[in-house]
Amino acid sequence: MTLIVEPADPRADGPRALLEASHALMQASFPPEENYFLDIDELCAPDVHFFAAREGATTLGTGALAAKDGYGEVKSMFTAPEARGKGVAAALLRQIEDQAHNLGLPLLRLETGDPLEAAVRLYERHGFVRCGIFGDYQPNLTSVYMEKPLS
């Protein structure tokens, strides 16, 4: 598999389809007040760096870096079901981390859901550790907050 990870437009067909599948999964898995995904328009904001992973013309995954004051936040990580376990999410995380380094951000943070065990394991494998709530998040029963210092 020749995987290409590159900046992308979240409104393009491939990324949009994956984002819509991700949003549907989150809406089916969590109550509305515990859904913190960025909608497609929000992913087009100037402080958001959106990436897609593809093989040929097929989009296999998405991920974004939202540049915040003093840190970067990992957002919109999603891998197509048929591509899971093939390194797509790891490649996207590397791209997001590289972009955070390029922007001079000292820390990456993220919010995920406790029931999303594979996602939590992925982030742990890539050096993220659990941390306290941050940003505008509201306390709830399912969110897991993680961070990774960048050297």
Side-chain angles (χ1 to χ4, degrees), residues 71-72 74 93-94 97 100-101 105-110 123-131 146-151:
Y71 66 94
V74 177
L93 266 181
R94 280 192 300 278
E97 189 170 331
H101 275 293
L105 297 170
L107 180 70
L108 281 178
R109 289 183 169 152
L110 61 87
Y123 297 130
E124 288 173 342
R125 277 196 313 274
H126 289 273
F128 285 83
V129 296
R130 290 177 188 241
C131 66
M146 304 180 85
E147 66 183 17
K148 176 181 181 177
L150 302 176
S151 51

Side-chain angles (χ1 to χ4, degrees), residues 51-68:
F51 301 99
R54 64 178 175 84
E55 184 179 37
T58 304
T59 304
L60 300 176
T62 64
L65 171 69
K68 305 284 187 175

Side-chain angles (χ1 to χ4, degrees), residues 66-149:
K68 305 284 187 175
D69 187 20
Y71 66 94
E73 186 173 352
V74 177
K75 299 296 288 183
S76 300
M77 287 289 294
F78 188 72
T79 301
E82 66 275 13
R84 293 186 183 147
K86 297 182 179 178
V88 173
L92 282 158
L93 266 181
R94 280 192 300 278
Q95 180 68 46
I96 289 167
E97 189 170 331
D98 288 348
Q99 183 68 28
H101 275 293
N102 292 342
L103 295 172
L105 297 170
L107 180 70
L108 281 178
R109 289 183 169 152
L110 61 87
E111 180 273 340
T112 189
D114 201 37
L116 303 175
E117 295 171 5
V120 173
R121 285 194 309 272
L122 168 80
Y123 297 130
E124 288 173 342
R125 277 196 313 274
H126 289 273
F128 285 83
V129 296
R130 290 177 188 241
C131 66
I133 194 169
F134 64 89
D136 295 332
Y137 291 102
Q138 298 299 310
N140 65 62
L141 299 176
T142 61
S143 286
V144 174
Y145 305 99
M146 304 180 85
E147 66 183 17
K148 176 181 181 177

